[in-house]
Amino acid sequence: MLSTQFPAAAERLFYLDLCFHHKDPQSSTKHKGYTLPTTRQARILEALDLEGYGAIKIDSDLGSGSNDQPSTLPLPATASVPKSESAAKLPSLWIVQRKSPKPNYSNEFFRISESKTAGYGAYAKKDLYGGDVILREAYLIKSTHNDFFDTYERLEEGSKTILQALHMHDGLKIGTSRIQGIWETNCFAISDHQAALFPIAARFNHACSPSQKVLYEFDEKNDCIVMTVKADHVAAGEELTISYGNDWSPLMLYHLYGFMCRCGACPGLSEAEVMRSSAQW
Ligand SMILES: C[S@@+](CC[C@H](N)C(=O)[O-])C[C@H]1O[C@@H](n2cnc3c(N)ncnc32)[C@H](O)[C@@H]1O
């Protein structure tokens, strides 16, 4: 059975897309000494047009902010693709810290809404160009797989609610708890040892290489994920996809992530192929 042969979490973490470059997790500091603005302060900052200075933007009334959360200094986005003219004109984005469990989210570049591919997905709100930085997002939880439950228990209730609202895939090992399943479905590897969950980035669906539209990278200094348009041009209304693992076949995706790829760029997978291969895993 597929579920009993599903790779262990640690193994899968190893396989996760290693686009991230986080060499030494121990060296990651949390910008000590800086204070996260409260929602009201964040709004005042916004009103003063301080976007582009890398401050965290709390994007929902549900969050009041707290002094022990990571905050940021003004730093350029770290994605390594060259910036397009349109992105160059833009200030760097706020680092968003999601405080709402609702899937819907929208910024200047994209919105999360129901997807034709699967569940929710991200859609371009306007024409986007290679190099446009469309999201900088703070993590909700960062952990090794072994410490995940302890780390989860230390989360404040609001953060637990956000995590619990995320999607869990169907192919998980029998006995995997929902919390663990959600973690495994949505986390991004940020180093050899650690993964992190970013609630907005987690809504981006997969497209097989090289047809994914967006690249992602972990900005170690700011402890955030940065998503950058990879395609030369994405028309308004197109789905913004990422690659969960470069060069993975639909079969590997099925066994590692429990879905039959419908990205449209790969041949996909038939039920017969799934049955045949499940006997071998
Ligand atoms: C990280 S979530 C992506 C967001 C998800 N669609 C949601 O509603 O929250 C990963 C899950 O999305 C679905 N998914 C992502 N890309 C897909 C694709 N190319 N084909 C089919 N399902 C996909 C699968 O169910 C997968 O387990």
Side-chain angles (χ1 to χ4, degrees):
M1 290 254 302
L2 167 69
S3 50
T4 54
Q5 291 158 347
F6 202 77
E11 271 179 86
R12 292 203 299 134
L13 177 62
F14 175 74
Y15 284 119
L16 283 169
D17 194 341
L18 295 174
C19 275
F20 287 131
H21 310 288
H22 186 117
K23 297 278 186 291
D24 177 12
Q26 306 308 326
S27 71
S28 170
T29 63
K30 287 279 192 69
H31 312 297
K32 291 191 181 100
Y34 294 93
T35 304
L36 180 75
T38 63
T39 306
R40 191 165 163 277
Q41 287 165 338
R43 289 216 178 97
I44 293 168
L45 286 173
E46 204 171 8
L48 290 172
D49 198 20
L50 287 179
E51 281 199 38
Y53 287 80
I56 282 190
K57 179 179 185 180
I58 305 290
D59 74 325
S60 159
D61 283 336
L62 296 178
S64 56
S66 69
N67 290 343
D68 57 0
Q69 299 260 10
S71 185
T72 56
L73 286 174
L75 283 167
T78 56
S80 53
V81 286
K83 287 197 172 188
S84 71
E85 203 186 318
S86 81
K89 279 187 257 161
L90 295 166
S92 325
L93 283 175
W94 284 93
I95 296 172
V96 181
Q97 186 159 55
R98 192 70 172 132
K99 288 286 178 184
S100 168
K102 293 180 188 156
N104 306 80
Y105 169 81
S106 172
N107 69 11
E108 184 185 344
F109 308 100
F110 70 92
R111 71 168 55 84
I112 304 295
S113 53
E114 281 181 34
S115 161
K116 292 182 200 114
T117 309
Y120 289 90
Y123 287 86
K125 276 170 77 171
K126 61 181 185 183
D127 283 11
L128 299 172
Y129 298 92
D132 285 352
V133 177
I134 58 167
L135 178 67
R136 301 175 81 209
E137 184 185 7
Y139 64 83
L140 179 83
I141 177 170
K142 175 167 80 168
S143 180
T144 62
H145 276 296
N146 288 345
D147 293 341
F148 170 69
F149 279 113
D150 290 343
T151 316
Y152 172 79
E153 280 310 321
R154 288 195 295 273
L155 287 180
E156 56 178 32
E157 284 310 309
S159 297
K160 287 183 182 170
T161 308
I162 296 170
L163 185 146
Q164 286 161 15
L166 292 171
H167 172 73
M168 180 179 97
H169 76 66
D170 310 325
L172 290 160
K173 196 170 170 177
I174 290 170
T176 306
S177 72
R178 179 166 167 78
I179 300 302
Q180 177 85 28
I182 288 173
W183 167 250
E184 293 188 17
T185 303
N186 294 284
C187 69
F188 288 82
I190 58 171
S191 73
D192 290 347
H193 317 286
Q194 282 193 305
L197 202 149
F198 307 89
I200 302 167
R203 297 293 184 181
F204 282 64
N205 284 321
H206 163 91
C208 289
S209 292
S211 64
Q212 73 272 20
K213 303 276 192 277
V214 171
L215 298 171
Y216 52 89
E217 191 172 41
F218 185 64
D219 175 349
E220 197 175 325
K221 226 160 193 172
N222 285 304
D223 252 351
C224 69
I225 193 168
V226 180
M227 299 190 101
T228 307
V229 175
K230 172 201 170 215
D232 290 343
H233 174 230
V234 181
E238 272 191 71
E239 180 159 11
L240 294 166
T241 48
I242 58 176
S243 169
Y244 292 179
N246 286 331
D247 303 325
W248 285 2
S249 66
L251 206 52
M252 281 179 83
L253 284 167
Y254 177 75
H255 286 294
L256 296 174
Y257 290 112
F259 67 88
M260 291 162 77
C261 188
R262 291 191 295 272
C263 75
C266 70
L269 213 51
S270 68
E271 296 286 350
E273 282 172 300
V274 170
M275 298 283 277
R276 263 201 310 277
S277 80
S278 293
Q280 295 160 11
W281 275 67

